[in-house]
Amino acid sequence: MCGIIGAIGCAHAAEILLAGLKRLEYRGYDSAGIATADASGFAVRRAVGKLSNLASTLESEPLSGETGIGHTRWATHGGVKVENAHPIIADARVAVVHNGIIENHRQLRRELTAKGAVFTSDTDSEVLAHLFAEAIDAGGGLAEATASVLAQIEGAYAFAVMAQDFPHELAIARQASPLAIGLADGAMFVGSDALALGDVSERIIFLKDGDYGVLTQDAAALYDAEGRKANREIVAISASPGLVSKEGYHHFMEKEIHEQPDVALHSLGAFQDAEGRLHLPWDVDFAAMKGVAYLGAGTSYLAGLVGRYWMESLADLPVAVEIASEFRYRQPAMSQINLALGISQSGESLDTLMALKYAGEKGADTGALVNVASSTMAREAKHVLLTRAGVEVGVASTKSYMAQLVVLLILAVVAGHQRGVINDKLRREMEVMLASLPRLLGASMACIDAIKPIATYLARVNSCLYLGRGVLYPVALEGALKLKELSYIHAEGYAGGEMKHGPIALIEEGLPVVALLSDDNHFPKMLSNIVEAKARGAEIILIATESAITKAENEAETITKMKVSVPDCNPLLAPMVLSLPIQQLAYQTATQKGTDVDQPRNLAKSVTVE
Ligand code: G6P
């Protein structure tokens, strides 16, 4: 993931910025750069590859100045080359570092070019630099220029901007991507996270979505999305070199849940070209395949179950989804499995590792869908698909599961296209649909308040059922898993249609049933399942898209008082959008019960034993 750092009022800004970039390394990157401003103007140093390359460049060509910005870039729009590394400079007078994707960059680039702007990179970010140059020319201060730029851009972003006309100021803004300010005596800093700021500041302001502002050496003038002056809390953090911080959240899990719009953005960006078209960094011929196997444990296994719905419906390719520890010992038939994909956040779960090895020995091509590039699975598999979730500290997986889902859907779209099930037009439609996911996830975050009273209720129960149909069935399984592992409440997930074949016997007055519903082809049958459960005394907790709730209430008026709605979306995206409330429900229930959310009893983040 891209990382941002900025400083004002530091005697040796470049040194401080380089140290900040080192602390951002964990996010992953493929190029880096620093720009500073001094009396003679802007100077920039950029390098592809490791930070040591940038450090060598700075050693031979040092940068002076007390104001500067730096960036680690994980290429999304535009390949890995020096010209695309940030800071990106327009007209030698505006320098920008940006994390996120400006969705309307093509149109803006066309308009700016027509007005005479000369672009030097392939990035979407460069439009920001030219828009700032234009807005500054229009007069007013840097805050006005920032507001004017924000009014023109769409998408997700965190950015910091230096302008020649305002040598002692930095413009900053965030939407969906994180950004924090670090306060110090006589100096001001900005960074992607508290970790980046850890060695320069112990007083941090975490910007909220839509915030923007102007930093000077001793003040931060901040505004909210409506342009009103914003006072944001200053959070004290203790310097903890090398550690990922909670950034003001109570738990890592809470922070990681909130990072998911950004994670989706980066996970998508990693598999998109400059035109937003999906591509895989693999030379895998899905057209010739008879079947694939998805291997995983825990939440990663459940991500595989969701992935099967997509691969089979979009690519007509059979998928065996296997609990890794079962697969490797049950002598599975391998003749129809051409590719085995190990799904693992850590890339170290022993069962998944061994199952993948077994599949490879039996002649299958092997792939690893992992979040840790340096992991054993990534090193041992023939093909690697990296998720861009960043470091996940909470033992119960949230954001890495989200990233797995994004990549599994991309995989299904690409395979479907290769196999001729999806034509060019449909593929394009799916690419556009996928691009809307970060925004949908951001909007789904608003469900938190509705969940609080439901969590208060659940914290008092002993047992709970989760129901879903179709692609929401594995999401129900994940909901139940999250609740039991975090809050120690017994929970089971079932396919709605299975209720009548046993679990309905459990229903008695007051049993909580969490029902997942979206406005898809399963709606009528799932609604019947909910009504059946309610008729037998269940307390229904409905987690559903807005239109599914409206439809359900029209058909069954008093269906429930406990409901959580998320934005309407294409049914293919429903597993991601509905995963946010189920994670929140488990998280909030557990915090109300006072359990150790980040390290639930008996659980480990990475299980490297059998
Ligand atoms: C452990 C963790 C789970 C995780 C599972 C698989 O059980 O507690 O959260 O889903 O391992 O881990 P992996 O790193 O392979 O995804």
Side-chain angles (χ1 to χ4, degrees):
M1 283 190 204
C2 300
I4 287 174
I5 186 85
I8 314 180
C10 295
H12 302 287
E15 272 175 44
I16 302 273
L17 294 172
L18 186 62
L21 292 183
K22 284 212 170 83
R23 297 171 74 91
L24 286 166
E25 264 192 306
Y26 79 94
R27 298 163 74 93
Y29 66 100
D30 40 40
S31 61
I34 287 175
T36 56
D38 64 14
S40 56
F42 283 164
V44 64
R45 306 284 181 263
R46 298 181 289 182
V48 164
K50 288 283 154 204
L51 271 184
S52 51
N53 299 345
L54 178 64
S56 317
T57 310
L58 283 166
E59 232 165 76
S60 49
E61 301 170 75
L63 286 176
S64 61
E66 296 190 356
T67 300
I69 50 179
H71 191 258
T72 47
R73 173 173 189 256
W74 193 314
T76 54
H77 287 61
V80 182
K81 47 186 185 176
V82 170
E83 304 89 86
N84 291 337
H86 300 208
I88 290 178
I89 297 192
D91 301 332
R93 63 201 187 98
V94 174
V96 58
V97 288
H98 166 229
N99 172 22
I101 290 175
I102 307 298
E103 284 171 13
N104 57 337
H105 73 102
R106 281 182 214 91
Q107 186 204 333
L108 289 170
R109 183 184 272 248
R110 274 195 299 274
E111 289 167 9
L112 287 160
T113 307
K115 286 188 243 172
V118 177
F119 280 75
T120 56
S121 78
D122 307 317
T123 66
D124 58 317
S125 311
E126 189 170 351
V127 298
L128 286 173
H130 291 285
L131 287 173
F132 263 94
E134 192 179 61
I136 289 167
D137 285 345
L142 197 51
E144 285 88 330
T146 311
S148 149
V149 171
L150 294 181
Q152 300 175 68
I153 58 174
E154 288 166 22
Y157 49 78
F159 64 69
V161 171
M162 285 200 306
Q164 193 97 80
D165 296 6
F166 303 96
H168 306 295
E169 298 180 9
L170 281 185
I172 56 169
R174 74 153 282 189
Q175 178 66 48
S177 301
L179 200 63
I181 298 168
L183 299 99
D185 291 335
M188 192 72 73
F189 301 91
V190 62
S192 286
D193 56 28
L195 188 66
L197 303 168
D199 52 1
V200 287
S201 172
E202 294 185 8
R203 288 176 293 141
I204 303 285
I205 296 172
F206 294 103
L207 294 187
K208 291 193 187 303
D209 258 354
D211 281 357
Y212 70 98
V214 172
L215 304 182
T216 57
Q217 190 169 343
D218 43 29
L222 298 178
Y223 306 88
D224 66 13
E226 268 70 57
R228 293 176 298 230
K229 272 224 162 261
N231 281 319
R232 300 292 179 224
E233 190 192 353
I234 299 174
V235 181
I237 57 154
S238 54
S240 52
L243 285 180
V244 181
S245 119
K246 290 185 197 147
E247 297 181 3
Y249 291 102
H250 297 96
H251 299 95
F252 281 107
M253 184 182 176
E254 185 188 21
K255 171 181 162 245
E256 287 158 4
I257 288 174
H258 279 84
E259 284 174 342
Q260 290 177 111
D262 201 40
V263 164
L265 182 78
H266 284 89
S267 302
L268 279 170
F271 298 99
Q272 280 172 328
D273 65 15
E275 300 300 315
R277 291 179 196 280
L278 297 174
H279 62 89
L280 284 182
W282 280 14
D283 188 16
V284 173
D285 181 10
F286 284 100
M289 287 189 194
K290 292 185 195 143
V292 299
Y294 288 167
L295 313 172
T299 292
S300 295
Y301 161 70
L302 298 177
L305 284 181
V306 176
R308 171 167 66 190
Y309 281 83
W310 292 327
M311 186 59 95
E312 297 199 344
S313 64
L314 299 177
D316 193 24
L317 182 60
V319 183
V321 190
E322 304 275 357
I323 293 173
S325 56
E326 287 295 313
F327 178 81
R328 56 186 285 218
Y329 292 117
R330 74 169 173 83
Q331 296 183 309
M334 295 294 296
S335 63
Q336 305 294 305
I337 295 183
N338 305 101
L339 170 73
L341 183 71
I343 304 173
S344 174
Q345 187 284 129
S346 60
E348 304 293 348
S349 291
L350 189 67
D351 285 323
T352 311
L353 207 56
M354 298 310 286
L356 195 58
K357 204 169 168 182
Y358 175 87
E361 283 162 7
K362 296 286 173 191
D365 211 358
T366 56
L369 174 55
V370 292
N371 195 39
V372 182
S374 55
S375 62
T376 315
M377 220 173 290
R379 288 197 307 272
E380 292 192 355
K382 190 161 159 215
H383 312 282
V384 179
L385 288 175
L386 266 185
T387 49
R388 305 304 207 260
V391 179
E392 187 176 68
V393 179
V395 164
S397 173
T398 51
K399 63 174 181 170
S400 63
Y401 163 75
M402 184 63 72
Q404 287 166 350
L405 293 186
V406 170
V407 179
L408 287 166
L409 180 51
I410 291 172
L411 200 64
V413 172
V414 172
H417 190 247
Q418 275 188 21
R419 290 168 66 80
V421 182
I422 294 175
N423 62 21
D424 290 350
K425 184 168 169 281
L426 195 51
R427 176 174 172 146
R428 192 66 201 131
E429 281 169 18
M430 295 204 166
E431 288 163 345
V432 171
M433 170 202 74
L434 269 162
S436 68
L437 180 63
R439 212 174 10 219
L440 282 167
L441 292 178
S444 305
M445 221 56 100
C447 69
I448 293 175
D449 285 345
I451 286 175
K452 273 181 195 144
I454 303 175
T456 308
Y457 160 72
L458 265 195
R460 293 195 302 264
V461 309
N462 296 320
S463 187
C464 181
L465 283 183
Y466 280 70
L467 297 183
R469 285 184 91 113
V471 74
L472 294 182
Y473 162 49
V475 180
L477 295 177
E478 170 63 5
L481 176 62
K482 279 283 156 291
L483 189 73
K484 67 184 137 194
E485 65 185 343
L486 292 173
S487 69
Y488 317 146
I489 295 169
H490 172 253
E492 297 296 336
Y494 275 98
E498 270 294 285
M499 278 295 283
K500 288 194 201 71
H501 301 289
I504 202 161
L506 288 174
I507 295 188
E508 55 187 8
E509 204 59 36
L511 180 86
V513 171
V514 179
L516 304 178
L517 193 61
S518 94
D519 194 4
D520 58 15
N521 57 337
H522 297 280
F523 177 89
K525 295 219 160 41
M526 186 63 205
L527 184 60
S528 297
N529 297 140
I530 296 170
V531 172
E532 282 156 16
K534 174 137 180 93
R536 285 157 181 82
E539 276 297 347
I540 304 294
I541 298 165
L542 185 59
I543 299 187
T545 56
E546 274 162 23
S547 60
I549 288 190
T550 310
K551 255 173 95 173
E553 287 180 338
N554 284 342
E555 290 178 35
E557 232 169 79
T558 55
I559 191 167
T560 181
K561 287 198 287 290
M562 289 189 277
K563 57 190 171 195
V564 180
S565 93
V566 293
D568 285 332
C569 58
N570 185 306
L572 288 171
L573 299 183
M576 287 86 146
V577 176
L578 285 167
S579 285
L580 281 183
I582 60 157
Q583 293 168 349
Q584 276 290 347
L585 185 58
Y587 171 74
Q588 292 191 30
T589 306
T591 51
Q592 297 216 15
K593 288 195 76 176
T595 58
D596 187 348
V597 176
D598 283 331
Q599 291 184 319
R601 68 184 180 207
N602 305 336
L603 296 180
K605 181 80 190 142
S606 171
V607 180
T608 52
V609 291
E610 276 193 71

